[in-house]
Amino acid sequence: LVGSEMCIRDSISADATHPEKKVAGTPLNNLYTFQNFVGGKSNQIARAAALQIAENPGQSYNPFFIYGGVGLGKTHLAHSIGISVKDNFPNKTVLYVQSEKFAHQFIDAIKNQSTNDFVHFYQMIDVLIIDDVQFFAGKERTQDVFFSIFNHLHQNGKQIVLTSDKAPVEMQGMEQRLLSRFKWGLSADMGTPDLETRIAILQKKMYGSGIELPKEVVEYLAYSINTNVREIEGALNTIDQIAIKHD
């Protein structure tokens, strides 16, 4: 394990009998809160479930599997859960990790002959958030170790949150026993936001960034960009930068 994860592991290992007293220094983005998340028909089920999980981690919808295309808010919602749990339950250990980083950590553990430490560290997490779990596809040993960690966490009432660009039934290169566990809880789709939601996203982003644009420009952007939230925010930032240069 490297970086902050090494520090986390060492601090937890130092008091293994009381892991609940250690709060992991996870790389959660403080901007990705429920307050900053714009709800709409496209994400209604996912948002409602996320709020319930944040209030009762490990009790409802476990695992919670969020899926959808790029830039639709999956990562934002996953971070919101982690941030809210840390606020509501300061004694719980929360860890957000991208699937590729998890895989690299596991490879390092194999190389350093410390796979037991790696597994033990992850088994002590209260809320584990794995982003872009589709990258486990084709990595048999990584899937095997995650299967073991998943089972331990689930059996001990620990919350598991997963994000992916595809629903479990559409994922290729994943072991069936792992896919079956992904289906144990709730799978929630993050769809493309409708026009009204896109306008609301722009307005919220403008308010938070101190940007002022005519109503006609906001509506034009919302009409023109109908793919994902990230492109909408990117277009708004571009316009803001152009405006700054001309001031």
Side-chain angles (χ1 to χ4, degrees):
L1 297 175
V2 296
S4 61
E5 278 74 18
M6 176 67 83
C7 296
I8 298 166
R9 188 199 69 185
D10 291 344
S11 66
I12 291 177
S13 298
D15 192 5
T17 59
H18 298 286
E20 72 280 359
K21 294 183 179 179
K22 305 298 181 180
V23 179
T26 56
L28 292 170
N29 189 332
N30 289 328
L31 295 178
Y32 287 170
T33 64
F34 284 120
Q35 291 75 17
N36 292 334
F37 186 86
V38 178
K41 290 183 179 179
S42 60
N43 56 45
Q44 186 175 15
I45 294 176
R47 179 176 178 274
L51 285 167
Q52 188 168 343
I53 289 169
E55 294 177 357
N56 298 286
Q59 304 300 313
S60 304
Y61 312 124
N62 197 19
F64 182 40
F65 193 100
I66 314 169
Y67 68 94
V70 175
L72 295 178
K74 301 185 301 294
T75 297
H76 186 146
L77 202 57
H79 278 253
S80 297
I81 294 171
I83 291 170
S84 185
V85 169
K86 291 182 73 171
D87 288 342
N88 296 333
F89 306 93
N91 288 331
K92 287 190 179 296
T93 308
V94 179
L95 180 66
Y96 163 86
V97 63
Q98 294 177 331
S99 59
E100 287 183 294
K101 187 171 186 178
F102 178 95
H104 288 313
Q105 289 173 354
F106 178 52
I107 291 171
D108 286 341
I110 295 173
K111 180 176 64 177
N112 298 324
Q113 299 183 344
S114 59
T115 54
N116 287 338
D117 287 342
F118 173 85
V119 172
H120 179 63
F121 163 69
Y122 274 96
Q123 286 179 340
M124 298 179 75
I125 303 301
D126 293 308
V127 179
L128 177 60
I129 305 169
I130 303 285
D131 207 359
D132 290 324
V133 73
Q134 72 270 9
F135 287 112
F136 284 168
K139 299 178 176 68
E140 294 182 4
R141 290 195 64 181
T142 300
Q143 290 183 46
D144 285 343
V145 76
F146 182 63
F147 179 82
S148 174
I149 292 168
F150 182 105
N151 284 342
H152 179 89
L153 294 178
H154 194 275
Q155 290 169 5
N156 286 276
K158 309 301 184 180
Q159 182 67 51
I160 303 166
V161 178
L162 309 168
T163 77
S164 172
D165 62 352
K166 297 180 180 65
V169 294
E170 299 174 345
M171 298 180 75
Q172 303 293 324
M174 301 287 283
E175 295 183 7
Q176 287 301 314
R177 61 175 184 165
L178 197 54
L179 289 177
S180 69
R181 279 158 176 73
F182 290 171
K183 302 172 187 176
W184 278 358
L186 174 68
S187 295
D189 181 18
M190 298 283 284
T192 303
D194 55 31
L195 175 63
E196 291 79 7
T197 303
R198 297 198 299 273
I199 292 174
I201 290 170
L202 283 167
Q203 291 174 337
K204 196 172 189 71
K205 177 71 173 179
M206 288 165 55
Y207 179 80
S209 303
I211 300 173
E212 294 185 8
L213 291 175
K215 176 182 177 182
E216 294 77 13
V217 175
V218 174
E219 291 182 351
Y220 174 78
L221 286 174
Y223 271 111
S224 303
I225 305 174
N226 56 13
T227 50
N228 63 59
V229 176
R230 196 172 299 165
E231 288 191 16
I232 294 172
E233 294 180 341
L236 183 61
N237 290 333
T238 300
I239 291 175
D240 184 44
Q241 291 300 315
I242 292 174
I244 292 174
K245 290 180 180 180
H246 286 277
D247 283 347

